[in-house]
Amino acid sequence: MLKQQGWIVPVVGALALLALPAVLTPYTQELVVKIAIYAVFALSLELLVGVTGLVSLGHAAFLGIGAYVTVLAAGDSGGSIPRVAALAVLAAAAYGVFVGALSLRTKGVYFIMVTLAFAQMAYFVFHDTKIAGGSDGLFLYAKPSLGALNLDDKQHLYFTVMVTLIATYALLALLMRSRFGHALAGIRVNEQRMRAAGFATFGYKLAAFVIAAALAGLAGFLLAVKDGAVNPELLSWHESGAVLLMLILGGIGSLRGAVIGAIAFTLLKELFQLDALLGPLAAHWQLTLGFTIIGFVALLPKGLIGLRARLAGVGARAGAQHG
Amino acid sequence: MRLLPMRLPSRSKLSLVAAAFCALAAVDAQAQATGPIKVGFMLPYTGTYASLGNMIESGFKLYVQEQGGKLGGREIQYFKVDDESEPSKATDNVNKLIKRDQVDVLVGTVHSGVALAMAKAAKDSNTLLIVPNAGADAITGPMCGPNILRSSFSNWQPGYSTGVVAAQKGYKRAMTITWNYAAGSETVKGFTEAFEKGGGKVMKDLNLPFPNVEFQALLTEIAAQKPDVVFAFFAGGGAVKFVKDYAAAGLNKSIPLFGSGFLTDGTLEAQGAAAQGLFTTLHYADNLDTPRNNAFRKSFALTYKAQADVYAVQGYDAAQMLVAGVNAVKGDLSKRDALTAAMHKVTVDSPRGKFTISAAGNPVQDMYLRQATGNNNEFRGVAVKALADPARGCKL
Amino acid sequence: MDLPIFLVQCLNAVQYGLLLFLVASGLTLIFGIMGVINLAHGSFYMIGAYLAFVLAPYFGEWYLTKLLVGVALSAVFGFVLEWLFFSFLYQREHLQQVLMTYALILVFEEARSLLVGNDVHGVVTPEWLAGGFQLGGLMSYPWYRVFASVACVLIALGLYFVVNRTRLGMMIRAGASNRDMARGLGLDIKLLYRIVFAGGVALAALAGMIAAPLSSVYPGMGGSVLIICFVVVVIGGIGSITGALIASLLVGFVDTFGKVFFAEYSGVGVYLLMAVVLVWRPEGLMKRAY
C-alpha cells in the first residue's frame, strides 16, 4: 500500500513556486516552466508505473499527440484555452484507449515492447505523413487565450503551468487515497488475488492507462504553448525513456519522487551541456548522462528519495557501533 | 514495494538543486555587454552538415576580415551554438543565443527545420536574423519580417528553374523523388510548378522519410511507371547514394535524371561515373569565370587552404549584407528600421554574380544550368535570369 | 503492376525481411533464454554496420574475410559485455533492465560519435558483387541484394542446425526451459549465457555488416532497427526463432508493398499488423517453439 506522505512539503513547495518569478531571470524562469511541464508529464507516468506497476515505454506518444493537437486546434487565431486544452487531452486519451485496450492484453516484457511500438506508430504518423509538417514539425502562430488570460504573456504562462502542476499533484494524491487508487495498488502487488477478490482488473488498468494518457496530453498542451513549436521527436522513444528515467531518478512509488525526478533530470541535462563545467565533454553530454543513469540504477535503485534513507541507514549503523 | 516514509527533502537533494541554479544563474549574468557587436552563429558544427556549417562561418569571417575586422567601426564578439541539425532542439538552442548571450545578430542555419524555429524565435524577440543557407520557403513566406533576411536561396528557386529547363527540353511526363521534409517537398513543388506551366505533367511524387536511403522499392516503382524524366532532390550522403543506386538499377540509361544543384554539389567525387552528364540548376557554379568569383576563390583558398563552395559564398554574402546595413547606420544598431531598410536595398556584389533582395528578404538572382563533368559542375548557361521567389504568404 | 515488377518487389520484401530476421533472432534468443530485455540490441546492428565501414579500407576486395573478422570481433565484444555488464541484469526487474540498456544505447551512440563522427557514410559493395542482372525491360536487380538474401538464408539454416541438432543447442534449449534444473544437472549456465549473448550480438552485427552497403551507415540506424525488431518479436512470439522468421518476412512484405501503395502511411503499416496480431494472438504467432 502506498504510504500517505505528509502534506506540508508539497504545500510549501507550491507556495515557493508561485513566489519564484520575483527572483528569477527570464531565462531561468523559462527553465522552471519547462521543469514544471515535465513534472506533470512524469506525474502522469507515475500513475502507471508507480501506482499500477505497468511499465510503459511509449508514454511520450500522448505528450506528443497533446502537443500536436494543440497546434492544429489553435489554428491562426489561437483559440480559447478550455477548447484547445480539452481537444488535446481528449485526443491523447482516445489514443490511450486504443493503445491500452490492445497492449493490456499482454504482460511484462511484451507490454513494454508493445507500448513502445504503438508510440512509434504515432511517431510515424506525424513524421511521415502530411497531417502535420513532417520531420520539421509545426509552429504555433497564435497562442490560446481566455478572456484576460493570454498564454503569450510570460507571467500568465508561468502561473497557468504552476497551477496545472499543483492541480495534477493534488488530483493524483486524491486518486491514490481513493478506492480506485487502492485497487490499482492491489493490482500492482498481486493481480491474481485482486481478480479472485472480484475486481475487474482489466477495466481498472485501462482506466489508469487512459487517465495517465490524458494527463500526458495536458502536459503536451502546455509544452506546445510554451515552445510555440512541435516536432515529431516529442513522440520518440528517447522522450519515453527520459520520462521513465525521471521516475527512477526521483524514486518510484511517490508523487514527490516524480516531481523531484523531473527537476533532477532536467537540471542534469542542462549541467552536462554547460561548456563551463565539462569542457569538451559537454558536446557529448549523452555519454555522461548514460553513465550517470547506469550508476544511478545500479547503486541507487530507489532514486534520490532513497538517498536519505540510505545515508540514515549508514549513519545508524555507525551510531550503533559507537553507542 | 519500496516506499519510504519521508517528511523533509534530504539535504543532499536540496543542495544539488541549489548548486544547479547557481551555476545557471552565473552563466546568465555574463550576458550583458555594450561596445562590441554580438554576432551569434547557430550552425551545424557536428553531424552530417558539419562541413557546410564550417564553410558558412569561414565565408562570413573572410568578408569581415576584408573590411578590416570591424563592423561600422565596432569590434565584433562571436558566439557559437551547435544546432546538430536537430529541429527538436532548435528552440532551446536559439534561446541560448537570444536570451542567454543576448546577441545583436543571429546567423544560421543549414537545416530548414531548424531555421524555421530560429525565424520564429527571431520574430518573437525582434532579433535580426540572416539565414545563410536554409531554403525553407516559409522563412520569406508566412514567417517573413523586416528583421529576417536570407543570403542563399528559397527551396522553390532551384526546383523552379530545373522545371523550366526540363520543360524546355520537351519532356512531358515526370516523376519526382525526395525526402519527406520541407526542403524536399518545397523544391519539388517549385519543379512541378515550372514543369506543368511548360506543358508537362508530374505523374507521381515519391518520397521516403529523412534520412532514410533505402531507395530500392521506389526505384522499382520508377521502372514500373516509365516516366520521361525523373527529378530528385537529395543532399549530402543521400545524394551520393541515390545517384549511385539509380545508375546501379540501370535507370540512368533510359530515364534522364535531373536535380536541384544539391544533388551534385560536393558529391561528384563520391558519385563518380554514375553522375556524369547530370543536369542541375543552382544559383552558383564553382567554375563561374568572372573576376569577382576568381578573386573570391583565390582569397578563400589562401586564407583557409580549402576550395570554396556555394556555402562559403552564402556565408560571405551574409556578411556583405550585414556590413551594408551596419555601415548605413554607422554602427548604431538601435536604428533598426534604417538598418534593415539599407540591408534590403543593397545590391550584393557576390561571387555568384550581383543580386538584390526582395521585399520579403530573399535573394533575387540568376539561376545557372550546370552539367556534371568529371569532378565539377560545369557552367552551361543561365537557366532563369533574376528569379524571384513568389513569397507566398508574406505580408510585407 | 505487371508481373516482373511484382516479382522484383517480392524479392525486395524477402531481402529486407531476411536481414531483419538476422537481427530479430538474436534479440529473441537473448530474451527467450536469459529473460533480459535488451534495448541496446539495435546498437549491435549499428556497431556491425560501422565496423563494415571502418574495416573496409583494410580488407578491400576480401569481403567475406572482412565479414568473418567482423563477426569474430563482435562475438568477443558480446562475450565481454555480458561478463562485465549484462550478467548483473538477470536478477533485476524489467524496469531496471530497460533503463540500464537504454543508458547503454546513449553510451554506444556517443562512443560512435567520438570514434567515427556523425557523418553519413557509404560502404562500397565489392567488385565481384557489383552490377546486376536484367529483370523486365528497364531494371536491373543488384547482385549484392541476392548475396544478402542468400547469406541470410544460409545463416538461418545454420542457426536452426545449431539449436536443434547440436549439444550446444541442446544445452541452450535446456537452459531456456528450466535454468535451475539445468544447472543442477551440471550445466555451466554462466558460460552458456555468455555464449548465447555473444552469438546474439554477432548475429545483429553481421546483419549490420551485410546491410551497410544497402542502407549506408548513419547515426540513429540502431534505433529504427530495434523497434522494428521488437515488433517482429511480438508478432512472432518471444523465444521462437521460427516465429521470428515468419514475422520478419511478414514485416518485409508489409513494409515494401506499403511503400509502393501507401507511400506516406507505409511506416504505420507494420504497427497495424502488430495490432491485428495482438487482437488475435496476444502471445505471438508461435509462442515458444523451436
Side-chain angles (χ1 to χ4, degrees), chain A residues 1-2 9 25 27 30-31 34 128 135-136 139-140 188 231 233 253 260 307-308, chain B residues 1 3 7 12-13 24 28 87-88 92 99 111 113 116-117 120 180-182 209:
Chain A
M1 209 187 92
L2 225 51
V9 170
T25 67
Y27 181 66
E30 264 207 48
L31 187 64
K34 180 159 97 165
D128 290 353
S135 61
D136 294 324
F139 289 92
L140 187 64
R188 184 188 72 241
N231 193 279
E233 298 307 311
I260 290 170
L307 188 62
R308 182 170 201 258
Chain B
M1 231 185 125
L3 302 164
R7 276 159 289 266
S12 50
K13 263 199 312 286
L24 287 162
D28 225 19
S88 53
D92 278 346
K99 296 212 170 86
H111 187 292
L116 280 169
K120 181 145 203 318
N180 188 10
Y181 69 157

mmCIF file of all heavy atoms in Angstrom, chain A residues 1-2 9 25 27 30-31 34 128 135-136 139-140 188 231 233 253 260 307-308, chain B residues 1 3 7 12-13 24 28 87-88 92 99 111 113 116-117 120 180-182 209:
data_model
loop_
_atom_site.group_PDB
_atom_site.id
_atom_site.type_symbol
_atom_site.label_atom_id
_atom_site.label_comp_id
_atom_site.label_asym_id
_atom_site.label_seq_id
_atom_site.Cartn_x
_atom_site.Cartn_y
_atom_site.Cartn_z
ATOM 1 N N MET A 1 0.842 -1.200 0.000
ATOM 2 C CA MET A 1 0.000 0.000 0.000
ATOM 3 C C MET A 1 0.876 1.248 0.000
ATOM 4 O O MET A 1 1.921 1.248 0.625
ATOM 5 C CB MET A 1 -0.875 -0.015 1.249
ATOM 6 C CG MET A 1 -2.171 0.723 0.989
ATOM 7 S SD MET A 1 -3.121 0.898 2.489
ATOM 8 C CE MET A 1 -2.545 2.460 3.073
ATOM 9 N N LEU A 2 0.448 2.228 -0.677
ATOM 10 C CA LEU A 2 1.234 3.452 -0.796
ATOM 11 C C LEU A 2 1.135 4.257 0.486
ATOM 12 O O LEU A 2 0.060 4.617 0.922
ATOM 13 C CB LEU A 2 0.688 4.254 -1.962
ATOM 14 C CG LEU A 2 1.734 4.845 -2.902
ATOM 15 C CD1 LEU A 2 2.717 3.787 -3.351
ATOM 16 C CD2 LEU A 2 1.035 5.415 -4.114
ATOM 17 N N VAL A 9 5.232 19.475 2.981
ATOM 18 C CA VAL A 9 6.248 19.756 1.958
ATOM 19 C C VAL A 9 5.631 20.153 0.619
ATOM 20 O O VAL A 9 6.026 21.155 0.030
ATOM 21 C CB VAL A 9 7.188 18.547 1.793
ATOM 22 C CG1 VAL A 9 8.082 18.746 0.579
ATOM 23 C CG2 VAL A 9 8.014 18.377 3.032
ATOM 24 N N THR A 25 15.498 35.312 -13.369
ATOM 25 C CA THR A 25 15.734 35.981 -14.652
ATOM 26 C C THR A 25 14.847 35.319 -15.708
ATOM 27 O O THR A 25 14.390 34.204 -15.500
ATOM 28 C CB THR A 25 17.189 35.816 -15.088
ATOM 29 O OG1 THR A 25 17.405 34.433 -15.387
ATOM 30 C CG2 THR A 25 18.142 36.273 -14.004
ATOM 31 N N TYR A 27 15.502 33.848 -18.475
ATOM 32 C CA TYR A 27 15.993 32.549 -18.939
ATOM 33 C C TYR A 27 15.699 31.469 -17.918
ATOM 34 O O TYR A 27 15.218 30.386 -18.234
ATOM 35 C CB TYR A 27 17.494 32.639 -19.220
ATOM 36 C CG TYR A 27 18.107 31.349 -19.721
ATOM 37 C CD1 TYR A 27 17.757 30.820 -20.958
ATOM 38 C CD2 TYR A 27 19.025 30.648 -18.951
ATOM 39 C CE1 TYR A 27 18.311 29.641 -21.404
ATOM 40 C CE2 TYR A 27 19.582 29.473 -19.400
ATOM 41 C CZ TYR A 27 19.222 28.978 -20.622
ATOM 42 O OH TYR A 27 19.773 27.804 -21.069
ATOM 43 N N GLU A 30 12.000 30.559 -17.679
ATOM 44 C CA GLU A 30 11.578 29.605 -18.710
ATOM 45 C C GLU A 30 11.993 28.202 -18.350
ATOM 46 O O GLU A 30 11.283 27.234 -18.629
ATOM 47 C CB GLU A 30 12.212 29.985 -20.048
ATOM 48 C CG GLU A 30 11.295 30.815 -20.895
ATOM 49 C CD GLU A 30 11.560 30.671 -22.382
ATOM 50 O OE1 GLU A 30 11.689 29.524 -22.865
ATOM 51 O OE2 GLU A 30 11.627 31.720 -23.026
ATOM 52 N N LEU A 31 13.169 28.091 -17.750
ATOM 53 C CA LEU A 31 13.654 26.780 -17.352
ATOM 54 C C LEU A 31 12.732 26.165 -16.310
ATOM 55 O O LEU A 31 12.394 24.985 -16.361
ATOM 56 C CB LEU A 31 15.075 26.903 -16.797
ATOM 57 C CG LEU A 31 15.780 25.592 -16.486
ATOM 58 C CD1 LEU A 31 15.973 24.803 -17.759
ATOM 59 C CD2 LEU A 31 17.118 25.863 -15.835
ATOM 60 N N LYS A 34 9.698 24.906 -17.932
ATOM 61 C CA LYS A 34 9.976 23.641 -18.626
ATOM 62 C C LYS A 34 9.978 22.487 -17.629
ATOM 63 O O LYS A 34 9.391 21.434 -17.864
ATOM 64 C CB LYS A 34 11.333 23.736 -19.336
ATOM 65 C CG LYS A 34 11.703 22.477 -20.081
ATOM 66 C CD LYS A 34 12.726 22.764 -21.154
ATOM 67 C CE LYS A 34 14.118 22.466 -20.698
ATOM 68 N NZ LYS A 34 15.071 22.389 -21.810
ATOM 69 N N ASP A 128 5.971 11.065 -41.002
ATOM 70 C CA ASP A 128 5.944 10.720 -42.424
ATOM 71 C C ASP A 128 4.809 11.348 -43.199
ATOM 72 O O ASP A 128 4.946 11.599 -44.389
ATOM 73 C CB ASP A 128 5.806 9.202 -42.583
ATOM 74 C CG ASP A 128 7.060 8.469 -42.171
ATOM 75 O OD1 ASP A 128 8.063 9.142 -41.900
ATOM 76 O OD2 ASP A 128 7.021 7.232 -42.113
ATOM 77 N N SER A 135 8.954 15.952 -40.730
ATOM 78 C CA SER A 135 10.024 15.917 -39.739
ATOM 79 C C SER A 135 10.397 17.308 -39.243
ATOM 80 O O SER A 135 11.122 17.429 -38.271
ATOM 81 C CB SER A 135 11.264 15.239 -40.318
ATOM 82 O OG SER A 135 11.726 15.960 -41.431
ATOM 83 N N ASP A 136 9.930 18.350 -39.898
ATOM 84 C CA ASP A 136 10.259 19.684 -39.417
ATOM 85 C C ASP A 136 9.295 20.164 -38.348
ATOM 86 O O ASP A 136 9.544 21.158 -37.681
ATOM 87 C CB ASP A 136 10.234 20.696 -40.561
ATOM 88 C CG ASP A 136 11.338 20.406 -41.554
ATOM 89 O OD1 ASP A 136 12.419 19.990 -41.122
ATOM 90 O OD2 ASP A 136 11.105 20.599 -42.752
ATOM 91 N N PHE A 139 4.427 24.963 -36.325
ATOM 92 C CA PHE A 139 4.593 26.135 -35.470
ATOM 93 C C PHE A 139 3.248 26.673 -35.017
ATOM 94 O O PHE A 139 2.278 26.648 -35.759
ATOM 95 C CB PHE A 139 5.357 27.229 -36.208
ATOM 96 C CG PHE A 139 6.791 26.865 -36.387
ATOM 97 C CD1 PHE A 139 7.204 26.213 -37.532
ATOM 98 C CD2 PHE A 139 7.704 27.107 -35.387
ATOM 99 C CE1 PHE A 139 8.518 25.836 -37.694
ATOM 100 C CE2 PHE A 139 9.023 26.730 -35.531
ATOM 101 C CZ PHE A 139 9.431 26.101 -36.687
ATOM 102 N N LEU A 140 3.245 27.172 -33.785
ATOM 103 C CA LEU A 140 2.036 27.760 -33.219
ATOM 104 C C LEU A 140 2.132 29.255 -33.457
ATOM 105 O O LEU A 140 2.984 29.925 -32.885
ATOM 106 C CB LEU A 140 1.989 27.445 -31.721
ATOM 107 C CG LEU A 140 0.727 27.828 -30.959
ATOM 108 C CD1 LEU A 140 -0.446 27.046 -31.480
ATOM 109 C CD2 LEU A 140 0.937 27.538 -29.486
ATOM 110 N N ARG A 188 -1.048 -3.899 -8.596
ATOM 111 C CA ARG A 188 0.404 -3.889 -8.747
ATOM 112 C C ARG A 188 1.041 -5.002 -7.917
ATOM 113 O O ARG A 188 1.970 -5.669 -8.343
ATOM 114 C CB ARG A 188 0.977 -2.531 -8.332
ATOM 115 C CG ARG A 188 2.481 -2.431 -8.554
ATOM 116 C CD ARG A 188 3.076 -1.171 -7.967
ATOM 117 N NE ARG A 188 3.094 -1.241 -6.521
ATOM 118 C CZ ARG A 188 2.452 -0.388 -5.720
ATOM 119 N NH1 ARG A 188 1.776 0.611 -6.225
ATOM 120 N NH2 ARG A 188 2.513 -0.520 -4.416
ATOM 121 N N ASN A 231 7.301 19.025 -32.714
ATOM 122 C CA ASN A 231 8.207 18.280 -33.551
ATOM 123 C C ASN A 231 7.954 16.799 -33.317
ATOM 124 O O ASN A 231 7.659 16.407 -32.196
ATOM 125 C CB ASN A 231 9.615 18.654 -33.087
ATOM 126 C CG ASN A 231 10.643 18.194 -34.056
ATOM 127 O OD1 ASN A 231 11.012 17.048 -34.037
ATOM 128 N ND2 ASN A 231 11.080 19.105 -34.894
ATOM 129 N N GLU A 233 9.840 14.521 -32.810
ATOM 130 C CA GLU A 233 10.727 13.941 -31.801
ATOM 131 C C GLU A 233 10.087 13.929 -30.425
ATOM 132 O O GLU A 233 10.554 13.217 -29.538
ATOM 133 C CB GLU A 233 12.058 14.718 -31.735
ATOM 134 C CG GLU A 233 12.848 14.664 -33.035
ATOM 135 C CD GLU A 233 13.054 13.235 -33.511
ATOM 136 O OE1 GLU A 233 13.482 12.387 -32.703
ATOM 137 O OE2 GLU A 233 12.761 12.956 -34.688
ATOM 138 N N GLY A 253 7.212 5.314 -6.809
ATOM 139 C CA GLY A 253 6.275 4.992 -5.755
ATOM 140 C C GLY A 253 5.744 6.212 -5.033
ATOM 141 O O GLY A 253 4.878 6.097 -4.180
ATOM 142 N N ILE A 260 10.544 15.407 -8.133
ATOM 143 C CA ILE A 260 11.987 15.543 -7.885
ATOM 144 C C ILE A 260 12.772 14.987 -9.067
ATOM 145 O O ILE A 260 13.771 15.553 -9.505
ATOM 146 C CB ILE A 260 12.368 14.817 -6.583
ATOM 147 C CG1 ILE A 260 11.797 15.581 -5.391
ATOM 148 C CG2 ILE A 260 13.878 14.711 -6.447
ATOM 149 C CD1 ILE A 260 11.907 14.830 -4.102
ATOM 150 N N LEU A 307 17.922 8.117 -1.134
ATOM 151 C CA LEU A 307 19.274 8.509 -0.733
ATOM 152 C C LEU A 307 19.338 8.806 0.753
ATOM 153 O O LEU A 307 20.261 8.395 1.458
ATOM 154 C CB LEU A 307 19.697 9.745 -1.547
ATOM 155 C CG LEU A 307 21.149 10.183 -1.413
ATOM 156 C CD1 LEU A 307 22.062 9.088 -1.920
ATOM 157 C CD2 LEU A 307 21.374 11.447 -2.211
ATOM 158 N N ARG A 308 18.334 9.531 1.240
ATOM 159 C CA ARG A 308 18.339 9.932 2.638
ATOM 160 C C ARG A 308 18.280 8.701 3.529
ATOM 161 O O ARG A 308 19.016 8.589 4.500
ATOM 162 C CB ARG A 308 17.149 10.832 2.927
ATOM 163 C CG ARG A 308 17.162 11.315 4.364
ATOM 164 C CD ARG A 308 16.134 12.400 4.610
ATOM 165 N NE ARG A 308 16.482 13.164 5.791
ATOM 166 C CZ ARG A 308 15.908 13.014 6.969
ATOM 167 N NH1 ARG A 308 14.963 12.117 7.126
ATOM 168 N NH2 ARG A 308 16.274 13.745 7.989
ATOM 169 N N MET B 1 6.510 -3.048 -1.779
ATOM 170 C CA MET B 1 7.323 -2.291 -2.741
ATOM 171 C C MET B 1 8.206 -1.338 -1.979
ATOM 172 O O MET B 1 8.148 -1.292 -0.782
ATOM 173 C CB MET B 1 6.403 -1.516 -3.670
ATOM 174 C CG MET B 1 6.759 -1.765 -5.122
ATOM 175 S SD MET B 1 5.752 -0.727 -6.146
ATOM 176 C CE MET B 1 6.956 0.123 -7.105
ATOM 177 N N LEU B 3 8.722 1.732 -0.585
ATOM 178 C CA LEU B 3 8.147 3.008 -0.208
ATOM 179 C C LEU B 3 8.778 3.416 1.099
ATOM 180 O O LEU B 3 8.918 2.615 2.006
ATOM 181 C CB LEU B 3 6.643 2.859 -0.004
ATOM 182 C CG LEU B 3 5.919 2.337 -1.239
ATOM 183 C CD1 LEU B 3 4.551 1.855 -0.845
ATOM 184 C CD2 LEU B 3 5.818 3.413 -2.282
ATOM 185 N N ARG B 7 9.653 12.914 5.509
ATOM 186 C CA ARG B 7 8.999 14.139 5.949
ATOM 187 C C ARG B 7 9.627 15.377 5.336
ATOM 188 O O ARG B 7 8.968 16.325 5.021
ATOM 189 C CB ARG B 7 9.030 14.242 7.486
ATOM 190 C CG ARG B 7 7.901 13.467 8.116
ATOM 191 C CD ARG B 7 8.199 13.122 9.567
ATOM 192 N NE ARG B 7 9.228 12.103 9.659
ATOM 193 C CZ ARG B 7 8.951 10.799 9.755
ATOM 194 N NH1 ARG B 7 7.726 10.386 9.767
ATOM 195 N NH2 ARG B 7 9.914 9.909 9.835
ATOM 196 N N SER B 12 20.902 16.593 0.794
ATOM 197 C CA SER B 12 21.719 16.392 -0.404
ATOM 198 C C SER B 12 20.952 16.772 -1.658
ATOM 199 O O SER B 12 21.477 17.354 -2.581
ATOM 200 C CB SER B 12 22.185 14.944 -0.487
ATOM 201 O OG SER B 12 21.077 14.105 -0.325
ATOM 202 N N LYS B 13 19.645 16.461 -1.664
ATOM 203 C CA LYS B 13 18.836 16.823 -2.830
ATOM 204 C C LYS B 13 18.748 18.327 -2.974
ATOM 205 O O LYS B 13 18.904 18.860 -4.042
ATOM 206 C CB LYS B 13 17.413 16.281 -2.647
ATOM 207 C CG LYS B 13 17.189 14.966 -3.350
ATOM 208 C CD LYS B 13 15.727 14.692 -3.556
ATOM 209 C CE LYS B 13 14.852 14.877 -2.359
ATOM 210 N NZ LYS B 13 15.007 13.817 -1.374
ATOM 211 N N LEU B 24 23.566 27.978 -13.232
ATOM 212 C CA LEU B 24 22.848 28.553 -14.363
ATOM 213 C C LEU B 24 22.744 30.061 -14.246
ATOM 214 O O LEU B 24 22.857 30.784 -15.227
ATOM 215 C CB LEU B 24 21.446 27.950 -14.443
ATOM 216 C CG LEU B 24 21.473 26.509 -14.933
ATOM 217 C CD1 LEU B 24 20.190 25.805 -14.603
ATOM 218 C CD2 LEU B 24 21.708 26.470 -16.435
ATOM 219 N N ASP B 28 23.991 33.045 -16.808
ATOM 220 C CA ASP B 28 23.045 34.073 -17.205
ATOM 221 C C ASP B 28 23.658 35.463 -17.080
ATOM 222 O O ASP B 28 23.470 36.322 -17.910
ATOM 223 C CB ASP B 28 21.827 33.975 -16.284
ATOM 224 C CG ASP B 28 20.548 34.064 -17.090
ATOM 225 O OD1 ASP B 28 20.611 33.834 -18.314
ATOM 226 O OD2 ASP B 28 19.524 34.372 -16.510
ATOM 227 N N PRO B 87 15.819 19.757 -35.487
ATOM 228 C CA PRO B 87 14.730 20.715 -35.277
ATOM 229 C C PRO B 87 14.135 20.632 -33.872
ATOM 230 O O PRO B 87 13.652 21.633 -33.341
ATOM 231 C CB PRO B 87 13.687 20.305 -36.326
ATOM 232 C CG PRO B 87 14.428 19.536 -37.336
ATOM 233 C CD PRO B 87 15.566 18.864 -36.628
ATOM 234 N N SER B 88 14.208 19.438 -33.254
ATOM 235 C CA SER B 88 13.569 19.312 -31.943
ATOM 236 C C SER B 88 14.311 20.082 -30.864
ATOM 237 O O SER B 88 13.731 20.463 -29.857
ATOM 238 C CB SER B 88 13.477 17.843 -31.559
ATOM 239 O OG SER B 88 14.748 17.246 -31.655
ATOM 240 N N ASP B 92 15.301 25.483 -28.043
ATOM 241 C CA ASP B 92 16.187 25.614 -26.883
ATOM 242 C C ASP B 92 17.516 26.234 -27.275
ATOM 243 O O ASP B 92 18.042 27.117 -26.594
ATOM 244 C CB ASP B 92 16.444 24.225 -26.263
ATOM 245 C CG ASP B 92 15.311 23.813 -25.353
ATOM 246 O OD1 ASP B 92 14.491 24.680 -24.996
ATOM 247 O OD2 ASP B 92 15.245 22.630 -25.005
ATOM 248 N N LYS B 99 18.488 34.684 -25.529
ATOM 249 C CA LYS B 99 18.187 35.086 -24.161
ATOM 250 C C LYS B 99 19.405 35.039 -23.254
ATOM 251 O O LYS B 99 19.587 35.888 -22.402
ATOM 252 C CB LYS B 99 17.104 34.167 -23.588
ATOM 253 C CG LYS B 99 15.788 34.276 -24.321
ATOM 254 C CD LYS B 99 14.609 34.047 -23.384
ATOM 255 C CE LYS B 99 13.309 34.390 -24.070
ATOM 256 N NZ LYS B 99 12.737 33.295 -24.854
ATOM 257 N N HIS B 111 19.943 23.528 -41.908
ATOM 258 C CA HIS B 111 18.740 22.692 -41.982
ATOM 259 C C HIS B 111 17.493 23.565 -41.918
ATOM 260 O O HIS B 111 17.356 24.400 -41.031
ATOM 261 C CB HIS B 111 18.766 21.708 -40.816
ATOM 262 C CG HIS B 111 17.703 20.676 -40.850
ATOM 263 N ND1 HIS B 111 16.363 20.952 -40.679
ATOM 264 C CD2 HIS B 111 17.769 19.335 -41.016
ATOM 265 C CE1 HIS B 111 15.675 19.828 -40.757
ATOM 266 N NE2 HIS B 111 16.495 18.834 -40.950
ATOM 267 N N GLY B 113 14.377 22.923 -41.128
ATOM 268 C CA GLY B 113 13.533 22.785 -39.945
ATOM 269 C C GLY B 113 14.068 23.585 -38.780
ATOM 270 O O GLY B 113 13.324 24.222 -38.040
ATOM 271 N N LEU B 116 13.530 27.325 -39.381
ATOM 272 C CA LEU B 116 12.164 27.773 -39.132
ATOM 273 C C LEU B 116 11.995 28.145 -37.658
ATOM 274 O O LEU B 116 11.387 29.160 -37.326
ATOM 275 C CB LEU B 116 11.165 26.674 -39.516
ATOM 276 C CG LEU B 116 10.867 26.566 -41.005
ATOM 277 C CD1 LEU B 116 10.085 25.304 -41.301
ATOM 278 C CD2 LEU B 116 10.104 27.776 -41.479
ATOM 279 N N ALA B 117 12.545 27.301 -36.791
ATOM 280 C CA ALA B 117 12.456 27.605 -35.365
ATOM 281 C C ALA B 117 13.211 28.892 -35.050
ATOM 282 O O ALA B 117 12.765 29.708 -34.241
ATOM 283 C CB ALA B 117 13.016 26.446 -34.543
ATOM 284 N N LYS B 120 11.154 31.859 -36.144
ATOM 285 C CA LYS B 120 10.065 32.115 -35.217
ATOM 286 C C LYS B 120 10.578 32.835 -33.982
ATOM 287 O O LYS B 120 10.000 33.823 -33.522
ATOM 288 C CB LYS B 120 9.411 30.799 -34.819
ATOM 289 C CG LYS B 120 8.268 31.010 -33.877
ATOM 290 C CD LYS B 120 7.156 30.020 -34.096
ATOM 291 C CE LYS B 120 5.839 30.558 -33.567
ATOM 292 N NZ LYS B 120 5.952 31.230 -32.295
ATOM 293 N N ASN B 180 11.007 13.288 -47.199
ATOM 294 C CA ASN B 180 9.776 13.912 -46.757
ATOM 295 C C ASN B 180 10.087 14.988 -45.712
ATOM 296 O O ASN B 180 9.872 14.799 -44.528
ATOM 297 C CB ASN B 180 8.865 12.834 -46.155
ATOM 298 C CG ASN B 180 7.499 13.384 -45.855
ATOM 299 O OD1 ASN B 180 7.167 14.484 -46.243
ATOM 300 N ND2 ASN B 180 6.707 12.596 -45.148
ATOM 301 N N TYR B 181 10.660 16.105 -46.144
ATOM 302 C CA TYR B 181 10.834 17.226 -45.236
ATOM 303 C C TYR B 181 10.737 18.501 -46.058
ATOM 304 O O TYR B 181 10.616 18.454 -47.279
ATOM 305 C CB TYR B 181 12.132 17.123 -44.448
ATOM 306 C CG TYR B 181 13.447 17.293 -45.186
ATOM 307 C CD1 TYR B 181 14.583 17.692 -44.489
ATOM 308 C CD2 TYR B 181 13.594 17.030 -46.538
ATOM 309 C CE1 TYR B 181 15.809 17.837 -45.117
ATOM 310 C CE2 TYR B 181 14.810 17.183 -47.174
ATOM 311 C CZ TYR B 181 15.923 17.579 -46.449
ATOM 312 O OH TYR B 181 17.126 17.721 -47.088
ATOM 313 N N ALA B 182 10.748 19.634 -45.345
ATOM 314 C CA ALA B 182 10.433 20.907 -46.001
ATOM 315 C C ALA B 182 11.274 21.136 -47.247
ATOM 316 O O ALA B 182 10.751 21.465 -48.319
ATOM 317 C CB ALA B 182 10.632 22.052 -45.013
ATOM 318 N N PRO B 209 11.141 8.789 -45.708
ATOM 319 C CA PRO B 209 11.460 9.609 -44.538
ATOM 320 C C PRO B 209 12.937 9.984 -44.512
ATOM 321 O O PRO B 209 13.792 9.218 -44.916
ATOM 322 C CB PRO B 209 11.129 8.692 -43.348
ATOM 323 C CG PRO B 209 10.535 7.470 -43.886
ATOM 324 C CD PRO B 209 10.700 7.436 -45.352
#
